[in-house]
């Protein structure tokens, strides 16, 4: 058992990305109903009782104390809502000075990183790729492949998740399938 404040090691990989873990969060379509472009399709699916798991987060959290790090993994299942690939909600950190690092473990995808002015960068993630997320940027992960996307994450345990700020404007870009390939396009419902 891993104890707070003591050194530990854990294993990367396997079905949960990290093992052991302490907390598991499951996000289904119903948790993300306002997030996808095709809201009609989402409502139709939910009314038919279709509520797939979009992603899971496994974490070893520490107390929210400056200097400590949370580590975790995210597993995004392959799939699309219409043409739009499955993604995470995306968030800024409540403590704006905090950054984050992702390391790809399995599958393929894109990380969308957006600053407060709406400037957005998309970076590929996959096995052995490290993505650095600078302070005060919103980040969303998108699975563009046909298998699970699994990545490791580490961030200050006092960072906090601010979902509302990015939910208000949305991300400036969407990742959609065009002719069988992932393409990053302007989000028609983005508003500054
Ligand atoms: C990564 C980290 C977590 C985050 C998770 C899912 O593992 O950034 O802090 O919770 O991705 O992203 P979200 O919280 O935006 O749904
Ligand atoms: Zn974060």
């Amino acid at each position: 058992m891993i104890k707070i404040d003591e050194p530990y090691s854990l294993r990367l990989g396997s079905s949960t990305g990290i093992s052991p873990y302490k907390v598991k969060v499951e996000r289904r379509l119903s948790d993300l109903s306002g997030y996808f472009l095709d809201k009609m399709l989402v409502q139709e699916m939910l009314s038919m009782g279709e509520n797939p798991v979009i992603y899971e987060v496994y974490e070893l959290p520490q107390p929210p104390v400056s200097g400590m790090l949370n580590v975790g993994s995210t597993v995004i299942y392959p799939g699309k809502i219409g043409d739009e690939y499955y993604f995470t909600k995306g968030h800024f950190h409540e403590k704006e000075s905090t950054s984050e690092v992702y390391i790809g473990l399995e599958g393929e995808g894109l990380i969308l990183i957006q600053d407060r002015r709406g400037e957005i960068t998309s970076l590929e993630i996959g096995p052995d790729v490290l993505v650095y997320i600078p302070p005060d940027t919103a980040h969303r992960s998108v699975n563009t492949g046909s298998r699970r996307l699994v990545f490791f994450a580490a961030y200050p345990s006092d960072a906090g998740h601010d979902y509302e700020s990015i939910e208000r404007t949305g991300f400036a870009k969407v990742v959609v399938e065009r002719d069988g390939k992932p393409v990053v396009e302007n989000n028609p419902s983005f508003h500054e």
Side-chain angles (χ1 to χ4, degrees), residues 74-131:
T74 302
V75 176
I76 310 180
Y77 288 93
K80 285 173 293 160
I81 301 298
D83 297 326
E84 202 176 12
Y85 295 97
Y86 283 7
F87 52 57
T88 60
K89 284 184 165 191
H91 59 273
F92 283 95
H93 292 160
E94 281 166 10
K95 188 173 174 184
E96 295 163 359
S97 60
T98 56
S99 52
E100 186 158 359
V101 159
Y102 288 173
I103 297 172
L105 300 174
E106 218 184 289
E108 52 193 300
L110 291 174
I111 311 297
L112 302 179
I113 301 172
Q114 180 165 315
D115 69 17
R116 295 280 176 185
R117 295 171 305 151
E119 290 296 314
I120 192 164
T121 307
S122 71
L123 296 173
E124 286 182 11
I125 193 157
D128 302 326
V129 174
L130 183 151
V131 172

